[in-house]
Amino acid sequence: MSLLRKIRDTGRVAEPAPRAPEGERLPAARELGGSVQVRCVDAGSCNGCEIEIAAAFNPVYDAERYGARLVASPRHADVALVTGPVTRNMAEPLRRTVAAMPEPRLVVAIGDCAINCGEFAGGYGVEGAVSDVVPVDLAVPGCPPEPGEIVAALRRVTGR
């Protein structure tokens, strides 16, 4: 049997993705239409959360199948994933990045450091948590959070 015939006869073998509960969908998700462009911002983290974000977009967790796509420019982004405590040198660039994003925009704090400064609380170079610098719409706790939790947060944003 040829390879193409085998592919045609076998069909799709992956199970369908589970539906996101409608009650957990963020209110702004309706305006975004089920698909978002995501910009990651490292505000001073140890890079543990960035590794988990990269894993959330790899073929195993595949956040793109739920309508989330990484972009390089904040002008193209609907969602900002912010990691780490905001350092003094990153406070103003973070404000400018969020201001450059078009409306409606969402900010997601990824990890304990972004939520409450974590291990870096009280450090001389730390401005504060992400919510002290820009308004946060959703927080994903963990040090670092697992890729599945990051995908679940993105599903709340996309509603898929």
Side-chain angles (χ1 to χ4, degrees), residues 1-151:
M1 180 179 336
S2 72
L3 180 61
L4 293 176
R5 183 179 299 145
K6 186 173 184 177
I7 291 171
R8 186 191 70 209
D9 292 343
T10 303
R12 184 178 294 247
V13 294
E15 61 186 40
R19 295 295 303 164
E22 188 63 32
E24 293 184 15
R25 189 175 187 185
L26 292 178
R30 286 178 179 36
E31 296 178 40
L32 296 173
S35 180
V36 294
Q37 313 304 316
V38 179
R39 171 75 172 128
C40 296
V41 179
D42 180 354
S45 75
C46 67
N47 290 333
C49 294
E50 281 77 14
I51 293 169
E52 300 301 319
I53 290 171
F57 283 91
N58 75 15
V60 174
Y61 293 96
D62 196 15
E64 286 195 25
R65 69 180 160 164
Y66 299 115
R69 188 172 69 102
L70 291 173
V71 293
S73 173
R75 297 195 187 277
H76 300 151
D78 303 311
V79 177
L81 297 182
V82 185
T83 62
V86 181
T87 61
R88 296 187 193 279
N89 292 337
M90 279 301 294
E92 188 58 30
L94 178 59
R95 285 187 195 99
R96 288 182 183 181
T97 299
V98 172
M101 294 169 56
E103 293 284 344
R105 60 179 168 241
L106 297 171
V107 177
V108 180
I110 303 288
D112 291 341
C113 296
I115 296 169
N116 60 14
C117 296
E119 296 292 320
F120 303 102
Y124 68 91
V126 175
E127 181 83 17
V130 176
S131 60
D132 297 337
V133 179
V134 294
V136 173
D137 299 295
L138 185 61
V140 182
C143 185
E146 294 181 9
E149 295 171 5
I150 296 170
V151 171

